[in-house]
Amino acid sequence: MAGPGGEPDPVIQTGRRVMAILLEVRGLFDEWVAAVAGTVDAAIGRYARRPCIVLAGESTGVLTARLQSTPKGQPLADGSFRIANGRPSPALTADWQAAFRGSRIETHLASGQVLFRPLDFPKQAVDFLDGMIRTQIDRLTPWPADDAVFGWSAPSQTSQDRIELMLAATSKQELEPLVQLAANLGAQSLVAFAAPPAAGETPADIRVFDRTLGGTSGRGFDTPRILRAVLLSAGAAAAVALLVGAYVGNSLDSEQQQLTRRISERRAALRLGPGGDSAVGLLARRKQTSPSSVVVLEALSKALPDGTYVTELRIDGDKVQVVGMTQDAPSLIRLIEKSPQFARATFFAPTTRAQNEPGERFHIEARITPSFGSNT
């Protein structure tokens, strides 16, 4: 689909790029899983005790199986069979079937099945032989790199700065019947060797094929599948942990916001009174409207004349009661009412004079006016 002006639709282009990236990532992931699975299988297989079976006679079509080593049990007599549709014909005995399960199968290829070529490299190429040989397989053998299996002998130094080795290669199709046979019998791995032509001393066999076929140690474990399951489980667990963490985090944030709001409300309530007035204003109003003992005493000391003594002073709400001695009790009513802090002064008990007292004992009650703490 094309966009305006005949240009490709940008949405389709973006989708294609995303698909290409996903396919590339999936390919890298599969390669990583395969590499790790191979490493795990090789590591466990190296230390696992398993039987080793040698197959010989492939060039004649009749294979002879010989149990080379077994971790337990009695040795088995050699067995012969042909390969028919990837299975032994005639069928193997139960003992041989049990021996093949989880075993390591080794076979030696006939010289007619293998191509041998001597190669010469600089001495500095010893550490890079795998890459250098692999990139030249198309030129060194009649098979493409994807269709060939190969190996090489240990390099030997021919001069001060040159090394030589023997390349052994064959087609994967030559080994396909053996691979099917080993897989159907439940073998753990298949290894194929090639014996190079003798030239002087007997050369060592060259390993041209080594593949892990079954699960680890022949127990039927599918290592790639296990790795994928473990990775998917770990990814799912991580996703669940992230979701739970996000949910718990949101819940904690909500609770924190509620607590912060409540704290703010409490602080505002402390600053404001029930009617919305500030606490400072309420305190000022209370100061102006509530009587103060010190102010009452000071006002009385100013209102009462010299020679008058106060023996009792009681403040009850907005009332004050004064008891004392004076020379002229009635005049105290007028003097107290002149003070702006008092009003409605009266005697709340009779005025008395005792023989041994110098003056009259008075009992005066007055109302305290709410003018304390005023700005005037």
Side-chain angles (χ1 to χ4, degrees), residues 18-373:
V18 171
M19 290 299 298
I21 293 174
L22 291 177
L23 291 175
E24 184 177 358
V25 171
R26 180 178 178 181
L28 294 175
F29 177 75
D30 291 340
E31 290 180 4
W32 179 83
V33 169
V36 174
T39 303
V40 171
D41 287 337
I44 297 180
R46 179 180 302 176
Y47 297 102
R49 299 179 61 191
R50 62 174 184 264
C52 179
I53 299 175
V54 177
L55 291 180
E58 184 184 0
S59 59
T60 62
V62 179
L63 298 178
T64 300
R66 178 169 54 87
L67 191 60
Q68 188 177 39
S69 63
T70 180
K72 60 182 179 179
Q74 298 296 328
L76 297 176
D78 296 350
S80 299
F81 56 88
R82 294 178 179 271
I83 301 177
N85 297 324
R87 296 188 177 275
S89 179
L92 299 177
T93 62
D95 292 339
W96 267 112
Q97 291 179 8
F100 268 104
R101 283 193 293 270
S103 66
R104 170 186 171 91
I105 300 178
E106 296 182 359
T107 185
H108 286 74
L109 301 176
S111 57
Q113 297 176 288
V114 185
L115 171 67
F116 295 98
R117 292 199 62 173
L119 300 179
D120 178 78
F121 290 101
K123 182 180 178 181
Q124 294 78 5
V126 173
D127 298 331
F128 312 99
L129 290 178
D130 182 76
M132 297 181 67
I133 295 175
R134 192 174 300 277
T135 57
Q136 301 183 57
I137 285 297
D138 295 344
R139 183 175 60 84
L140 298 174
T141 68
W143 309 287
D146 294 338
D147 296 337
V149 292
F150 55 91
W152 58 88
S153 63
S156 59
Q157 188 170 350
T158 57
S159 63
Q160 186 175 1
D161 57 350
R162 305 296 295 181
I163 59 173
E164 68 176 8
L165 52 85
M166 181 64 69
L167 172 69
T170 187
S171 173
K172 289 183 179 180
Q173 295 180 356
E174 294 287 344
L175 294 174
E176 189 60 28
L178 287 176
V179 172
Q180 294 181 4
L181 173 68
N184 292 332
L185 292 176
Q188 196 271 338
S189 61
L190 173 64
V191 184
F193 296 94
E201 61 183 21
T202 304
D205 292 339
I206 301 174
R207 184 172 58 184
V208 297
F209 185 82
D210 189 348
R211 178 184 297 178
T212 300
L213 303 175
T216 303
S217 300
R219 294 185 177 90
F221 296 156
D222 191 345
T223 305
R225 180 176 297 177
I226 294 175
L227 284 174
R228 290 187 177 92
V230 170
L231 291 175
L232 290 176
S233 300
V240 171
L242 288 175
L243 292 176
V244 171
Y247 175 78
V248 173
N250 292 334
S251 178
L252 292 177
D253 290 341
S254 178
E255 292 182 2
Q256 183 178 6
Q257 292 176 0
Q258 292 180 0
L259 289 175
T260 303
R261 185 173 63 254
R262 291 179 181 176
I263 292 173
S264 301
E265 292 175 354
R266 295 297 296 174
R267 289 177 177 174
L270 291 176
R271 289 193 298 266
L272 299 176
D277 297 333
S278 66
V280 176
L282 292 175
L283 290 175
R285 182 180 301 174
R286 182 175 181 182
K287 179 180 178 182
Q288 294 176 1
T289 58
S290 300
S292 172
S293 300
V294 177
V295 176
V296 170
L297 184 59
E298 182 181 1
L300 284 173
S301 65
K302 292 181 179 180
L304 297 177
D306 295 339
T308 300
Y309 304 95
V310 176
T311 58
E312 295 182 25
L313 176 65
R314 294 191 296 271
I315 298 176
D316 184 11
D318 60 346
K319 293 182 180 181
V320 61
Q321 291 181 346
V322 183
V323 179
M325 299 291 295
T326 186
Q327 296 297 327
D328 186 7
S331 64
L332 296 181
I333 298 296
R334 179 176 52 82
L335 294 175
I336 291 175
E337 287 186 343
K338 283 184 178 181
S339 176
Q341 279 77 29
F342 305 105
R344 298 164 59 182
T346 59
F347 291 103
F348 68 90
T351 301
T352 60
R353 180 186 292 269
Q355 293 182 356
N356 57 348
E357 291 180 349
E360 298 175 341
R361 179 173 295 278
F362 63 89
H363 303 78
I364 298 176
E365 180 182 81
R367 185 174 297 276
I368 304 173
T369 58
S371 60
F372 300 96

